[in-house]
Amino acid sequence: EDQVTQSPEALRLQEGESSSLNCSYTVSGLRGLFWYRQDPGKGPEFLFTLYSAGEEKEKERLKATLTKKESFLHITAPKPEDSATYLCAVQAYNTDKLIFGTGTRLQVFP
Amino acid sequence: DTGVSQNPRHKITKRGQNVTFRCDPISEHNRLYWYRQTLGQGPEFLTYFQNEAQLEKSRLLSDRFSAERPKGSFSTLEIQRTEQGDSAMYLCASSSGGRTSYEQYFGPGTRLTVT
């Protein structure tokens, strides 16, 4: 069964303290791995898609990487406005549906 | 360029009543998806359309749930005889599909509370 596990469940960082979020997955034929950001009471906001092991993508203070079993979202020198829940999802070749993890709740304190 | 829109944003209903939600996708997107999200969980897939054809339905989607996309543009999700367990955020997403773009863009969601 296709599955996504995210860790940690919650992360508290001081402003400027870099860290990484983990997304482990099992999927029968990975088409893509997706990262989203979700603010309370809002829909997920698309961040990145990664398609193959070794691929990396960056956007401002965020960098996503992919291996054959997991993905990392690296946050460099975070700011309070980076506080949100970060969701990871996978899509298999034989379907369009996304399978999400439960997310990592990130809080960045000034 | 407007994003995905959903109406209503909030709905409170009594158990046993029927409710209907609407989703308007990004205009050039031919694929439309419905997900459900409960507190502390990631979104769970319910169903999706390519144009007006409903291509996949989750086993989570009981007979009380029905979705339509009659003209391949907006979509509606109806829940009949609502139960307290239906309380959740209902999210709609759209994508352009194709070989180079699988990203799904989400709307703001409709929060359903069943009392």
Side-chain angles (χ1 to χ4, degrees):
Chain A
E1 182 182 345
D2 299 340
Q3 192 170 345
V4 176
T5 303
Q6 292 189 246
S7 61
E9 289 186 7
L11 183 61
R12 293 163 57 99
L13 298 174
Q14 201 73 31
E15 184 172 3
E17 180 186 2
S18 301
S19 188
S20 296
L21 282 55
N22 177 262
C23 170
S24 299
Y25 65 89
T26 54
V27 62
S28 52
L30 179 72
R31 173 188 281 161
L33 184 141
F34 304 81
W35 282 98
Y36 286 86
R37 168 192 171 128
Q38 187 172 30
D39 293 301
K42 298 188 177 181
E45 175 190 347
F46 171 75
L47 293 174
F48 303 109
T49 309
L50 301 166
Y51 291 107
S52 57
E55 189 175 1
E56 299 182 351
K57 293 215 175 146
E58 287 188 66
K59 180 181 179 180
E60 296 182 352
R61 294 176 293 282
L62 301 176
K63 178 180 176 180
T65 62
L66 180 65
T67 72
K68 289 187 177 180
K69 292 186 181 297
E70 58 190 354
S71 176
F72 291 94
L73 185 65
H74 306 278
I75 303 177
T76 302
K79 298 182 177 181
E81 54 261 43
D82 294 323
S83 297
T85 294
Y86 290 85
L87 295 164
C88 172
V90 296
Q91 186 181 65
Y93 273 112
N94 61 349
T95 177
D96 261 36
K97 70 181 179 186
L98 296 179
I99 298 172
F100 283 87
T102 53
T104 294
R105 289 190 316 280
L106 173 67
Q107 290 180 295
V108 182
F109 294 91
Chain B
D1 179 26
T2 58
V4 177
S5 62
Q6 293 187 245
N7 287 288
R9 295 293 310 280
H10 303 274
K11 179 71 176 179
I12 300 174
T13 191
K14 292 185 177 179
R15 189 176 55 188
Q17 298 294 304
N18 298 343
V19 294
T20 300
F21 309 141
R22 176 176 169 131
C23 171
D24 288 88
I26 293 170
S27 58
E28 64 270 23
H29 285 181
N30 63 1
R31 298 187 184 195
L32 186 149
Y33 310 82
W34 286 99
Y35 292 82
R36 179 172 65 188
Q37 186 177 26
T38 53
L39 198 62
Q41 301 297 312
E44 290 181 294
F45 171 78
L46 293 177
T47 189
Y48 93 92
F49 295 83
Q50 180 171 320
N51 299 313
E52 63 274 12
Q54 189 173 18
L55 296 187
E56 188 173 352
K57 289 172 61 173
S58 166
R59 287 170 290 179
L60 295 174
L61 214 63
S62 76
D63 292 344
R64 297 184 297 106
F65 288 70
S66 62
E68 293 184 340
R69 195 182 182 199
K71 297 183 180 179
S73 56
F74 73 91
S75 175
T76 58
L77 177 68
E78 181 183 17
I79 308 175
Q80 297 182 326
R81 304 181 303 281
T82 53
E83 302 172 355
Q84 287 189 321
D86 297 331
S87 296
M89 175 79 89
Y90 289 84
L91 294 163
C92 176
S94 69
S95 77
S96 58
R99 298 181 61 187
T100 59
S101 177
Y102 296 101
E103 294 90 15
Q104 296 180 19
Y105 295 90
F106 284 81
T110 294
R111 179 163 297 285
L112 173 66
T113 302
V114 181
T115 62

